[in-house]
Amino acid sequence: TLCKSIPIEQRAIYFPNVFTPDRDINNRFTAIGVGIAEFEMWVYDRRGALMFHTTEIQPGWDGTSNGIKCRQEAYAYTCRYRLKQEQGYQNHTGTVLLLR
C-alpha cells in the first residue's frame, strides 16, 4: 500500500456555463467564490446590449432584463473582482447559456 497526497488546485472563483431560470434549481447565474472582497459583473446579449449589472456576488442574474424574460441563447459576461488577501483586481470573461 502506498499513500501519497495529491494537491488539488482550488480556484477562488467559479462561473457555471449554463443556467435554467424557469426551474427550481440552478435558476440564477452567479459566481461561486471563496475570499471575494469586491465583485462586479456585467452580462451582455449577442448584440452587445447590457442585460444585467451587479456589484454583489449574490443573488445573481435571474434571466430577465428590465422585468422581461430574456431569450434562450448564449450571453457574454465580464467580471472584475478582488480577493481578500490580494491588493489588485482580477478580470474574468466568458459565456453562459440561458436555457428555458
Side-chain angles (χ1 to χ4, degrees):
T1 302
L2 175 67
C3 292
K4 183 176 181 181
S5 295
I6 300 172
I8 298 174
E9 179 185 341
Q10 291 184 335
R11 294 190 289 178
I13 196 163
Y14 165 78
F15 291 87
N17 58 4
V18 176
F19 79 113
T20 53
D22 295 334
R23 308 266 169 96
D24 291 334
I25 59 171
N26 192 33
N27 56 7
R28 289 188 176 265
F29 173 65
T30 189
I32 300 165
V34 176
I36 306 296
E38 294 180 49
F39 178 87
E40 190 165 14
M41 181 174 70
W42 301 263
V43 178
Y44 301 92
D45 69 7
R46 62 190 180 112
R47 292 160 295 284
L50 181 64
M51 299 285 105
F52 178 74
H53 172 255
T54 187
T55 57
E56 303 291 331
I57 199 165
Q58 293 293 331
W61 182 39
D62 65 358
T64 65
S65 180
N66 297 319
I68 299 170
K69 288 183 177 183
C70 295
R71 66 169 70 186
Q72 177 174 297
E73 66 181 25
Y75 291 84
Y77 66 88
T78 186
C79 174
R80 179 178 178 256
Y81 65 95
R82 184 179 64 80
L83 300 174
K84 289 180 182 176
Q85 68 272 19
E86 295 182 11
Q87 296 295 320
Y89 288 89
Q90 297 183 37
N91 295 307
H92 181 87
T93 60
T95 58
V96 62
L97 180 61
L98 185 158
L99 286 180
R100 294 222 176 259

